Amino acid sequence: MASDTAAHRHTPLQVLRHLDTGPRGLTDPEAAARLAATGENTVPQRRTASWPRLFLRSLRDPFTAVLLGLGLVSALVASWGTAAVILALVAVSCVLRTSGEHRADRSLHDLRRLVGSTACVLRRTDPEAPVRAREVPVAELVPGDVVRLGPGDLVPADVRLLRATGLTVHQAALTGESAPVAKAAVELPGAADEGPFARPQLCFQGSGVVSGSATAVVLATGTRTRFAAAHDGPVRREASAFDRSVHGISWVLIRFMLLTPPLVLMANAALRGRGLATLPFAVAVAVGLTPEMLPVIVTTCLARGAALLARTHGVVVRRLPALHDLGAVDVLCLDKTGTLTQDRPVVEGALGPDGHDDPDVLRLAAVAAWWTLQLAEAPTPDALDEALLEAAGPVGEEYDGVGAVPFDPVRRLATAVVRGTALGTHTLIVKGAVEDVLERCVLDRAERDRLLSLAEREAESGLRLLAVATAERPARARDYGPADERGLVFRGLVTFHDALNPDAGEALRALADLGIGVRILTGDHPATAARVCRELGLDPEEVRVAARRTPQDKAREVAALRAAGHTVGFLGDGLNDVPALRAADVGIAPRAAVDVAREAADVVLAGKDLAAIRHAVTAGRHSSANIASYLRVTLSSNLGNVIAMLAAGLLLPFLPMLPAQVLAQNLCFDAAQLAFAHDRPGAAVLSRPTVLRPRAFLRFITGFGMLNAVADLATFAVLALALRGPDAVDDEVLFHSAWFTENLLTQALVMLLLRTGRSLAEGGTPGPVGRAAVALAAVGVLLPLSPLGAPLGMTGLALPYYFLLAAVLGVYALALRGLRSTSGLYSCAT
């Protein structure tokens, strides 16, 4: 990497020579030539997948692939009607899935932004022209450019410092360090051994300037930066919770589907001598077992939920199955900063050396903050200074400021010098880290240990500390520096706590009510995180705080939770969060996150808002419940029909249904089940994580499928007894018509009784599923009587037959309700 090569040349002059530039920067022609050679300085972005590519990817769904295979088999045996219906189902499901994912990708593309917009660069029109600082787009920076950095600037590329004054940068997005890091133009001994981020003379794209100012030369841009290298590391995700559960169910059914045609062929060849003549029927039976609308229902449910979230809450779901995974999340991991707190300290109090309240300590600290801001060369208020000035009110102007030594993260101190109360004296007010201030105070060992113990007790209660000390010096004209911070008198401590996010406690309790446990993974002190939880009214034992965690620790903890059987969501916004985002079932990032974190996330929030997560979880459960309803209804009904058809095929002298009738029945049932994408789940489903459990699900559909098969075979027995004389059981057309009607009526009952929609007791209505069931029942009764009945090989039934069917269906409905109440409707999807 270019930045590594240049970094080995330790002096600024060596670096400038290597880059063929100078302290005055590049000329415009030189910059243009280098831009043409190196390309734009932009963060690499994954290209949005094209519509054709997404369409082809949707064909990898196991059910879609099997249906495609069955359609091709039907075409090979010239069963064109069967082939056309199956291939149409494949095309519709792929189009719906592709459209949903393409919309999500386009929405995310609109959220992407560059690391910075402009940078201050030294450029000249020609070698003889004077140097002029100008703002240029970050994309136009090239190696060799000389840039200026100030407070609040984003570091626009990987740079080597030429000059720096009090410079500190925040590089948490790269390293996870929460505190600003001191930078200087001179290499420190041993820094190179600790890696590039520890080298004080190097700053990297993705960092932000906290304080101070600097001039630097650009080492690397675009794809050659450290930021780009981290962005470029694709990690293959493990299968999500949704993928695992659906694939577990799918492959069991697929094995059964693939066995069905040869079993039907062999049985009919052995017992009825029909052989290959029954191949279209065998294919139709296999299709009858297939939940062919699963891709359509899944995509429609998830796409509707994702569109509603984007429209109402600004939440973008990048990967549609992630919405289901959100509904299954039972553990949410997040950081404390910016989520539970506002990332803004607030003064808690001020203590004197004796540990009692002493307002004078706060006043001195605020005076130091005021004059440091007024007199420092590159003034910038840090969060603690702002908190001090807000708490103390108008202070500082009653003194005459003399000088200031700005904060330096190496010595961890800041000093203001004001005119003393005695004539001819100056007062130094020093504030900073407790250990560093005490080192410079005149104290015996016992007193220093006592004050350290006092500070430790306050820190263990979850407070942040700032020590304050003073010194009187004879007045002088010479500037003050770090060497003057000695022989101090310790004045006391100022304590701070993090300003709470007022909505965090309520949002976390709402998540707990949804059955989601919260884990706080933070790099802060354990007591600080525990205090925040208590102040929000949360029990740290229940919330589970894990403090002093590195980015790798976070990823390992997420992976361990998944290995223990949990479905895990992770909320993060920095480059250091990327490993955990990728390790989670659902990675969640706010829109303001660094680009690489947004790319790694499955869900992008408008803000770092726990309430938005709650809405997303509810939407995921809504979609999951409707998908589970569809699977319960279609698989139990289809399994029962297939078992009954196989049995009837061996008992009857003719096929129990013609292939066209089987497919017509499937089409009617499939069309009715599209209503599940618009159903409203009951409150019981939305109150806890929803996971499709393959074993429990298969047990459920086996039990209800057998009940459905018994109902079908009972209809067969009733027809065998009722159809006598000229209309005997070998009246093939009449039998087909009666069984077709009974099957659709049975499926309509199953749709009503096995759905998870809101019941009338919850204030619900029959809704779209109820209306679709009524329409399906009407089709079952009226289709044999319609002009389409004859082409399908059916005829109208005499009135007594409808009474017989009603009696069978009444008994079936009672048995279905009884089995539903004893089996636990949600046991397979909770």
Side-chain angles (χ1 to χ4, degrees), residues 234-289:
V235 176
R236 187 177 183 84
R237 293 185 67 105
E238 296 181 20
S240 69
F242 178 78
D243 295 332
R244 293 193 302 269
S245 57
V246 170
H247 285 188
I249 298 169
S250 299
W251 285 111
V252 172
L253 295 173
I254 286 170
R255 293 186 188 101
F256 191 23
M257 287 162 50
L258 295 177
L259 285 174
T260 298
L263 287 175
V264 172
L265 291 176
M266 289 187 293
N268 277 274
L271 299 177
R272 297 295 179 184
R274 291 194 283 252
L276 286 176
T278 60
L279 181 59
F281 173 72
V283 170
V285 170
V287 173
L289 181 63

Side-chain angles (χ1 to χ4, degrees), residues 190-317:
D193 299 332
E194 300 179 20
F197 296 115
R199 295 179 179 177
Q201 79 276 23
L202 299 180
C203 294
F204 299 93
Q205 186 182 53
S207 304
V209 178
V210 177
S211 64
S213 61
T215 302
V217 61
V218 174
L219 299 177
T221 59
T223 58
R224 292 166 295 281
T225 64
R226 290 269 173 186
F227 192 89
H231 185 285
D232 228 9
V235 176
R236 187 177 183 84
R237 293 185 67 105
E238 296 181 20
S240 69
F242 178 78
D243 295 332
R244 293 193 302 269
S245 57
V246 170
H247 285 188
I249 298 169
S250 299
W251 285 111
V252 172
L253 295 173
I254 286 170
R255 293 186 188 101
F256 191 23
M257 287 162 50
L258 295 177
L259 285 174
T260 298
L263 287 175
V264 172
L265 291 176
M266 289 187 293
N268 277 274
L271 299 177
R272 297 295 179 184
R274 291 194 283 252
L276 286 176
T278 60
L279 181 59
F281 173 72
V283 170
V285 170
V287 173
L289 181 63
T290 308
E292 57 264 35
M293 295 301 289
L294 178 61
V296 179
I297 296 291
V298 166
T299 305
T300 303
C301 287
L302 298 180
R304 287 186 74 248
L308 183 64
L309 278 174
R311 188 169 60 250
T312 59
H313 301 291
V315 176
V316 176
V317 180

Side-chain angles (χ1 to χ4, degrees), residues 420-781:
T421 54
L423 187 64
T425 62
H426 288 167
T427 301
L428 279 69
I429 308 174
V430 181
K431 58 183 176 64
V434 175
E435 296 85 353
D436 296 272
V437 170
L438 289 176
E439 275 183 13
R440 291 162 173 82
C441 290
V442 180
L443 298 167
D444 59 36
R445 185 179 184 86
E447 180 65 5
R448 181 177 284 107
D449 290 344
R450 185 187 69 80
L451 292 172
L452 286 172
S453 297
L454 171 64
E456 186 176 351
R457 285 197 302 273
E458 294 297 319
E460 286 177 351
S461 67
L463 297 173
R464 296 167 65 181
L465 304 176
L466 186 72
V468 181
T470 61
E472 297 294 327
R473 298 281 191 268
R476 74 186 195 198
R478 181 164 47 90
D479 288 341
Y480 287 86
D484 297 297
E485 297 166 337
R486 55 184 172 74
L488 307 177
V489 177
F490 183 75
R491 302 299 297 269
L493 302 170
V494 181
T495 59
F496 301 82
H497 67 267
D498 289 328
L500 301 178
N501 182 341
D503 301 324
E506 181 181 351
L508 287 180
R509 284 187 287 272
L511 290 174
D513 292 340
L514 292 175
I516 298 176
V518 175
R519 302 285 180 94
I520 298 174
L521 308 181
T522 179
D524 278 341
H525 192 284
T528 303
R531 180 188 179 93
V532 168
C533 291
R534 287 193 298 271
E535 290 180 348
L536 289 171
L538 306 170
D539 185 347
E541 295 298 323
E542 292 181 2
V543 173
R544 302 282 184 90
V545 177
R548 303 297 193 196
R549 292 301 192 266
T550 66
Q552 291 71 28
D553 292 335
K554 294 178 182 180
R556 281 192 291 269
E557 295 208 20
V558 168
L561 287 169
R562 290 187 68 193
H566 294 285
T567 304
V568 184
F570 183 86
L571 173 61
D573 61 358
L575 189 64
N576 56 304
D577 292 319
V578 169
L581 286 168
R582 287 173 169 159
D585 289 288
V586 186
I588 308 168
R591 185 177 303 180
V594 297
D595 223 18
V596 62
R598 287 203 307 271
E599 285 288 349
D602 303 301
V603 177
V604 179
L605 308 178
K608 206 169 185 180
D609 183 7
L610 292 174
I613 295 178
R614 177 172 59 83
H615 292 305
V617 166
T618 301
R621 292 183 185 180
H622 188 137
S623 300
S624 299
N626 288 341
I627 293 169
S629 284
Y630 164 76
L631 283 172
R632 265 192 300 271
V633 168
T634 192
L635 293 180
S636 57
S637 180
N638 288 356
L639 182 62
N641 287 341
V642 167
I643 293 172
M645 281 191 203
L646 292 177
L650 299 178
L651 297 172
L652 292 173
F654 51 82
L655 294 177
M657 269 194 188
L658 299 177
Q661 294 166 351
V662 174
L663 291 173
Q665 172 188 283
N666 285 346
L667 277 175
C668 294
F669 193 28
D670 290 340
Q673 288 180 104
L674 286 173
F676 281 113
H678 305 272
D679 200 14
R680 293 187 65 193
V685 178
L686 301 179
S687 64
R688 58 186 180 274
T690 305
V691 180
L692 296 175
R693 306 186 186 279
R695 291 186 180 178
F697 209 96
L698 292 171
R699 286 196 300 270
F700 181 94
I701 64 173
T702 300
F704 281 90
M706 294 303 296
L707 178 60
N708 191 51
V710 169
D712 285 345
L713 292 175
T715 303
F716 168 67
V718 168
L719 290 174
L721 293 174
L723 299 178
R724 296 184 179 279
D727 295 329
V729 75
D730 58 356
D731 188 334
E732 185 175 342
V733 174
L734 195 58
F735 184 90
H736 288 165
S737 302
W739 206 359
F740 180 89
T741 298
E742 184 272 342
N743 274 336
L744 289 189
L745 292 176
T746 301
Q747 289 166 338
L749 277 176
V750 171
M751 285 181 65
L752 287 174
L753 296 179
L754 294 189
R755 65 189 280 261
T756 56
R758 290 161 58 92
S759 67
L760 295 176
E762 294 178 292
T765 62
V769 173
R771 293 191 291 272
V774 171
L776 183 64
V779 170
V781 172

Side-chain angles (χ1 to χ4, degrees), residues 24-30 122-132 134:
R24 304 173 67 205
L26 301 173
T27 64
D28 289 336
E30 288 172 337
L122 301 183
R123 290 268 179 92
R124 297 165 289 157
T125 54
D126 58 67
E128 304 303 323
V131 176
R132 190 161 54 90
R134 70 175 86 159

